[in-house]
Amino acid sequence: MNPLTLPRNTEAEIDAFIATCEVLGRFDGGISFDFVDGFLTALAAAPRQPPPEEWLSVLCDDAFERAFADPVSHGQALASFQARLHVLLAQLDAEAMFEDPEALRLDPLIAEYTDEDRRQLVEEAGLSEEDAAVYQTGVWWAEGFFNAVGGLPQIWAIPEGEEPEAAFGVAFKQIEALRMLADEPEWKEHLATYWPQGEPSRDDLIHEACMSVQDIRLFWVDFAPKTPTRRVEATPGRNDPCPCGSGKKYKKCHGA
């Protein structure tokens, strides 16, 4: 599919979404626009969406209520989140993805971090080099995603069985890679398993993470509990023996 045809937020909607996240970040330092976008992406990839009051408390505890105390600002802030969620749901539409499973439809909002940004965090913000190294492109988006997965078990209960557990596990690993550091054994194991051809760029990792989110959305369809097929018996003729075993004709018994 041509990416230009994908559902996307307007510039005004994105500006409102980022502004809401910035205000929220003053009340909860762990909140950033890409963290929230990852969180909403997990909601969109889930088999159902809980009401806002259920997921807002998982996203930021009571910070949303404190940041947007009056009804008008509360409504506007929530509307900016719902506008973003609406587009993510459209991008992760299962029917559209089944038509072309290899097409990238998810278009995340992710802050880019460079070596210069990490240097400034050390020199100007006073972070240690170890803490600054965590600031990699996509890391907070992945943090937000897994915050929703872990915080909303009522909608993220993985179907039981070896096949679904393996499928979800592989997809989660590709998203988890965005949080791995280069000197960790887990990263080296990930490279050996999924990238034997060579170390990927951050763009490669983000692409694989987005494709894995799409896979997860389709997994819910593939592994959804199947409704038992109701068996309907053919209706006996009026003069046939009644199937109840009474010995009477159907028309004189249950067909009466």
Side-chain angles (χ1 to χ4, degrees):
M1 175 178 289
N2 188 330
L4 296 178
T5 66
L6 290 179
R8 281 190 169 86
N9 290 101
T10 65
E11 289 188 16
E13 288 174 336
I14 292 176
D15 289 344
F17 173 75
I18 292 176
T20 298
C21 295
E22 289 176 346
V23 172
L24 195 54
R26 298 179 197 137
F27 290 80
D28 183 337
I31 296 294
S32 63
F33 74 84
D34 44 356
F35 180 92
V36 177
D37 195 68
F39 186 98
L40 296 181
T41 298
L43 287 184
R48 66 178 181 84
Q49 284 70 55
E53 59 270 19
E54 190 173 326
W55 54 260
L56 277 174
S57 63
V58 176
L59 172 65
C60 54
D61 197 20
D62 65 344
F64 195 90
E65 302 301 325
R66 291 187 289 117
F68 307 104
D70 69 276
V72 174
S73 64
H74 186 283
Q76 291 173 339
L78 181 57
S80 73
F81 280 5
Q82 290 177 317
R84 180 58 183 158
L85 178 58
H86 177 76
V87 167
L88 289 168
L89 285 166
Q91 290 179 354
L92 294 175
D93 176 67
E95 185 175 345
M97 285 191 291
F98 271 125
E99 293 178 1
D100 189 358
E102 299 304 316
L104 178 62
R105 291 179 52 86
L106 180 60
D107 185 21
L109 298 177
I110 293 178
E112 182 177 355
Y113 292 99
T114 64
D115 289 339
E116 176 62 21
D117 294 324
R118 286 182 283 275
R119 185 191 64 78
Q120 290 181 358
L121 287 170
V122 173
E123 297 180 358
E124 300 175 15
L127 269 64
S128 67
E129 291 188 2
E130 182 179 3
D131 289 340
V134 174
Y135 285 76
Q136 301 288 336
T137 302
V139 65
W140 305 121
W141 183 86
E143 287 284 347
F145 184 92
F146 285 113
N147 180 267
V149 171
L152 295 166
Q154 64 272 35
I155 65 169
W156 270 98
I158 305 303
E160 294 183 359
E162 185 176 339
E163 184 181 359
E165 289 174 2
F168 278 89
V170 170
F172 283 149
K173 273 295 184 184
Q174 296 288 14
I175 303 168
E176 176 67 24
L178 292 172
R179 302 196 296 181
M180 297 177 188
L181 296 178
D183 58 350
E184 293 179 336
E186 187 179 16
W187 171 247
K188 295 175 182 177
E189 180 183 343
H190 184 79
L191 287 181
T193 303
Y194 298 103
W195 299 92
Q197 69 275 26
E199 188 163 345
S201 66
R202 294 305 292 187
D203 285 343
D204 292 332
L205 292 176
I206 290 169
H207 181 275
E208 287 303 314
C210 288
M211 292 300 297
S212 293
V213 172
Q214 295 182 188
D215 289 341
I216 287 170
R217 183 69 191 95
L218 296 179
F219 291 160
W220 287 118
V221 179
D222 288 340
F223 299 121
K226 302 297 188 294
T227 303
T229 303
R230 187 169 66 91
R231 185 175 179 181
V232 179
E233 300 290 347
T235 303
R238 286 175 51 77
N239 292 312
D240 291 338
C242 187
C244 74
S246 65
K248 299 179 181 179
K249 291 184 178 181
Y250 179 69
K251 66 182 180 182
K252 296 289 187 179
C253 191
H254 282 80

